[in-house]
Amino acid sequence: MLKLGVLISGNGTNLQAIIDAIGDGKLDAQVMLVISSNPEAYGLKRAYEAGIPTMALSKEAYNDKLQADVAIRQELQRAGVTHVVMAGYMRMVGSAILDVFGGRVINIHPALLPSFKGAHAIKDAYEYGVKVTGVTVHVADATYDTGPILAQEAVRVQDGWTLEELEAAIHDVEHKLYPQTLERIASGEITL
Ligand code: GRF
């Protein structure tokens, strides 16, 4: 069973998909702790409602990035986390965390990497006019949106779609692909 520490910054719909997959018996895991880089993140409410311990860091806490990462690492270790799951976490995971959890930090990105890295991937792909984009689940390393790819799924951009329609299609795929990929890790099908 995976013991997950989930890092968020916002809405937490991917966190919710993971919580639901566990509840439905589709993912052999437990969310030990949710850590947010934003005390206002709605995802914290989702965690609270699921009975999961939470921790939030203020913006100021990241003024000293090393210290913030050390605090996060300590909480992850204290909670007995085996795998760190980034789910819309808008910060880099630094060496203090990677020294302990390196190779076991997983991220989801709303594009087909290595295309459209960065914080506005869906919009960037839409504005570029691609006909196919998608979702990537990968091992996170010390730079943004790199690291070995674990899973990808394509989304075909239908003629006439608005950006909002593409976003909805991408998020639907994310909410299936992330729990599925984590289950493939839990079952040993994917070795990190
Ligand atoms: C997702 O699109 C994810 O791919 C990206 O940030 C978004 C987070 O959404 N990294 P949510 O907070 O899980 O709803």
Side-chain angles (χ1 to χ4, degrees):
M1 187 180 71
L2 306 181
K3 294 184 174 177
L4 305 179
V6 183
L7 307 184
I8 63 167
S9 300
N11 194 355
T13 60
N14 281 286
L15 166 66
Q16 189 68 57
I18 290 165
I19 292 170
D20 292 346
I22 294 170
D24 293 344
K26 292 180 182 160
L27 170 56
D28 186 19
Q30 185 180 349
V31 182
M32 312 301 287
L33 175 68
V34 170
I35 297 177
S36 177
S37 67
N38 167 14
E40 306 296 323
Y42 186 72
L44 286 170
K45 188 160 181 278
R46 298 178 190 274
Y48 178 77
E49 280 172 4
I52 299 164
T54 60
M55 170 188 172
L57 287 91
S58 66
K59 208 173 166 192
E60 292 68 40
Y62 287 93
N63 288 342
D64 186 338
K65 288 195 187 71
L66 177 62
Q67 200 50 44
D69 276 347
V70 167
I72 290 169
R73 181 183 72 196
Q74 280 173 351
E75 289 307 310
L76 293 169
Q77 288 181 303
R78 209 193 314 264
V81 165
T82 60
H83 293 73
V84 179
V85 172
M86 299 168 74
Y89 184 63
M90 302 304 283
R91 298 269 175 182
M92 196 98 89
V93 168
S95 59
I97 296 173
L98 291 173
D99 283 351
V100 173
F101 291 100
R104 291 177 289 131
V105 182
I106 299 141
N107 185 39
I108 190 161
H109 183 74
L112 294 176
L113 291 174
S115 292
F116 302 109
K117 295 177 179 170
H120 310 288
I122 305 176
K123 187 165 179 276
D124 291 346
Y126 182 82
E127 288 178 352
Y128 196 94
V130 297
K131 300 298 179 193
V132 177
T133 179
V135 175
T136 303
V137 178
H138 66 98
V139 178
D141 58 20
T143 43
Y144 278 119
D145 303 327
T146 58
I149 291 173
L150 303 176
Q152 286 186 311
E153 193 168 318
V155 171
R156 197 169 284 278
V157 185
Q158 305 292 333
D159 287 344
W161 264 4
T162 62
L163 173 60
E164 290 69 29
E165 284 171 309
L166 177 59
E167 283 170 345
I170 292 278
H171 292 316
D172 278 352
V173 169
E174 286 190 312
H175 299 157
K176 277 180 270 159
L177 190 66
Y178 216 178
Q180 270 172 16
T181 308
L182 292 171
E183 174 54 25
R184 290 173 65 205
I185 296 168
S187 71
E189 189 189 324
I190 295 177
T191 311
L192 295 178

